[in-house]
Amino acid sequence: MTSADSGQQQTSLARASAVARHGKLWLVPTILASLVALCLTLLYLGGILNPNGNLRDLPIALVDADQGPPLPGQQQTLGAQVSRAVIAQTPADTVDWRRLSQARMQDELDSGKIYGALVIPADFTTSVGALTTAKATARPALTVLTNPGLGSLGSSLASQITQRAAHQTSLTIGRQLTSQSSAPEADTTTRVLLGDPITVTTKVGHPIGRHSGLGLTAFYFALLLVLTGFVGGNIINNGVDAGLGYTDNEIGPWHTRRPTVPISRTQTLLLKMLMTAGITVLTTSLLMIAAIGILGMDASHLPLLWIFSYCASLAVGLGVQAINAAFGGIGQVVSMFVFIALALPSSGATIPLHAVPGFYRFLALFEPMRQLSDGVRAILYFDARADAGLTRGWVMIAIGVALALLFGFAMTLYYDRKGLHRLTARPPATAGEAP
């Protein structure tokens, strides 16, 4: 090429200021970026702004172990009266008080079915009655149990509710005792004690490990599974397209374009899914090595955790490939909403689903983050119990894989049969033509 030809080529290069004048160039990026910004803000902030106001049917156990006998002139033990009052005083539909036995309560704590418990001890009536006599040896006590395995916020909400109920109970009983003990010889200390006679003790009902992030490692571990599947799937998608010559490969200033390989959409999708299945073995292993081996995250049932993690990340990766194959250039945005934008606020892992608006509870029925975080939580905190969410996690992973395969191959087979091949000739742009 002569210097004259080189100069002519350089003078024919388009300038950004000239290309930017074409309105069509701005249209699609502007619309998509604006919609993403608007929807992400509404989705993420809409689920966290008012947990107390959105609270619906938070499951908390109410255990009445009081054995009486009833106080003179009363038909029921104080435990029965307190249980009835606690339920009546709680705002309607905010708490699902489950009246359970001690053993049943512990089982539901250990399986993650309840966020906490309020326990009335066996000697409650006796110890309260003794306060008005010389036989009192200790203050009556109510016990609040927490379940940190269900997340710090959910456990905290349950603890606040039960502590408030216990304190209200103490004041109510205190008024009764004060009216019964109006003798002039009662000193000021006795009257203060009788005014608020019950001690409220808070304990952990189902302990978890010290390196469990206050019950948040399950959420973050599940998030990592989703992100590795999502990001890895898109990396594989772009890498395969570049390797087959359907897109350019640019790294910094270096640009390559490989010869285009004639291959159908269906076979391309099959290749991407096979590579996803293989590479996910490595990413899952590295994720567990980093989280458990290097950082020291508390975890048990390691073989089961690896298998579940692999299948979970694979399901996301296959879903990404299917969506990209169906939607093409905007597939990454679509899959981002499916696996990230809609999934995170409906996961129920940081804010309980009982404390988010109904729209997010609906999303939680099928969005992957809820299913995966429940499964990981069951393995990490609840001894891999099937009824702690592990069974649901496995079922939803199987459904997700089946849907990805069916949707992805149905769309590519349809495109191939319609002759909508990716390998099509395109005339070069003429001078001044908009991109």
Side-chain angles (χ1 to χ4, degrees):
M1 179 184 295
T2 65
S3 58
D5 293 333
S6 177
Q8 183 179 2
Q9 183 184 20
Q10 290 184 8
T11 57
S12 64
L13 293 176
R15 298 183 63 85
S17 57
V19 177
R21 296 191 185 100
H22 295 280
K24 292 182 179 179
L25 180 67
W26 291 75
L27 183 62
V28 173
T30 300
I31 292 175
L32 288 180
S34 301
L35 288 176
V36 167
L38 176 64
C39 292
L40 286 181
T41 303
L42 293 175
L43 287 170
Y44 284 152
L45 294 183
I48 66 169
L49 294 180
N50 190 13
N52 287 304
N54 293 316
L55 195 62
R56 295 292 182 275
D57 298 324
L58 187 72
I60 303 176
L62 180 57
V63 179
D64 177 16
D66 191 1
Q67 297 178 357
L71 295 176
Q74 298 187 3
Q75 301 297 320
Q76 292 182 319
T77 64
L78 283 179
Q81 297 176 41
V82 167
S83 298
R84 188 171 61 251
V86 165
I87 296 174
Q89 292 169 2
T90 304
D93 300 326
T94 59
V95 176
D96 175 18
W97 288 106
R98 300 183 180 181
R99 305 187 69 165
L100 306 174
S101 66
Q102 190 92 18
R104 182 63 179 169
M105 175 269 295
Q106 191 61 53
D107 182 72
E108 295 209 356
L109 282 172
D110 294 340
S111 60
K113 291 186 174 65
I114 55 177
Y115 284 82
L118 178 61
V119 181
I120 304 170
D123 63 344
F124 186 67
T125 298
T126 302
S127 60
V128 170
L131 290 176
T132 58
T133 70
K135 299 179 181 179
T137 58
R139 294 181 66 182
L142 294 175
T143 302
V144 171
L145 298 179
T146 63
N147 197 353
L150 292 178
S152 55
L153 180 58
S155 181
S156 175
L157 281 173
S159 178
Q160 291 174 18
I161 292 169
T162 49
Q163 287 179 3
R164 190 183 309 119
H167 181 63
Q168 185 62 41
T169 296
S170 179
L171 295 178
T172 301
I173 294 176
R175 287 192 291 269
Q176 298 175 5
L177 295 176
T178 302
S179 64
Q180 295 173 8
S181 180
S182 57
E185 62 270 14
D187 57 23
T188 304
T189 302
T190 302
R191 291 183 178 277
V192 171
L193 173 62
L194 294 180
D196 188 6
I198 297 175
T199 298
V200 180
T201 303
T202 301
K203 298 180 180 179
V204 176
H206 178 80
I208 58 176
R210 293 177 57 190
H211 296 143
S212 297
L214 300 177
L216 290 176
T217 51
F219 165 71
Y220 282 102
F221 192 87
L223 177 60
L224 288 171
L225 296 178
V226 172
L227 288 177
T228 53
F230 172 77
V231 176
N234 282 308
I235 291 174
I236 293 170
N237 176 73
N238 296 333
V240 169
D241 283 347
L244 296 178
Y246 288 90
T247 60
D248 293 349
N249 185 25
E250 292 187 68
I251 302 177
W254 295 280
H255 169 268
T256 58
R257 179 67 182 263
R258 298 179 63 85
T260 302
V261 177
I263 185 173
S264 68
R265 290 178 181 267
T266 301
Q267 290 299 310
T268 302
L269 177 60
L270 178 60
L271 173 61
K272 292 176 180 178
M273 287 189 167
L274 289 174
M275 291 182 63
T276 300
I279 294 175
T280 303
V281 173
L282 177 61
T283 57
T284 301
S285 301
L286 291 174
L287 195 159
M288 287 190 60
I289 289 172
I292 301 170
I294 299 176
L295 299 177
M297 184 184 79
D298 287 325
S300 57
H301 306 282
L302 295 184
L304 175 61
L305 180 61
W306 187 92
I307 295 172
F308 184 88
S309 300
Y310 172 77
C311 294
S313 191
L314 176 62
V316 174
L318 296 180
V320 168
Q321 303 301 0
I323 292 173
N324 285 338
F327 292 95
I330 64 170
Q332 294 185 17
V333 176
V334 175
S335 60
M336 185 270 292
F337 271 93
V338 172
F339 295 110
I340 306 296
L342 295 175
L344 288 181
S346 63
S347 66
T350 52
I351 296 180
L353 291 175
H354 306 276
V356 297
F359 172 68
Y360 297 91
R361 291 195 288 273
F362 168 73
L363 291 178
L365 297 175
F366 53 86
E367 276 294 329
M369 267 297 297
R370 188 271 175 101
Q371 333 304 332
L372 302 189
S373 60
D374 279 0
V376 172
R377 176 187 285 164
I379 297 173
L380 293 182
Y381 306 149
F382 299 113
D383 199 29
R385 288 183 52 156
D387 59 347
L390 185 56
T391 296
R392 178 184 177 87
W394 278 121
V395 170
M396 297 306 289
I397 285 174
I399 293 175
V401 170
L403 288 177
L405 295 175
L406 289 173
F407 176 69
F409 285 111
M411 295 303 296
T412 55
L413 286 170
Y414 172 78
Y415 292 154
D416 286 338
R417 290 176 180 175
K418 288 291 185 178
L420 302 174
H421 305 299
R422 303 179 73 193
L423 185 61
T424 56
R426 175 76 183 256
T430 58
E433 183 182 1

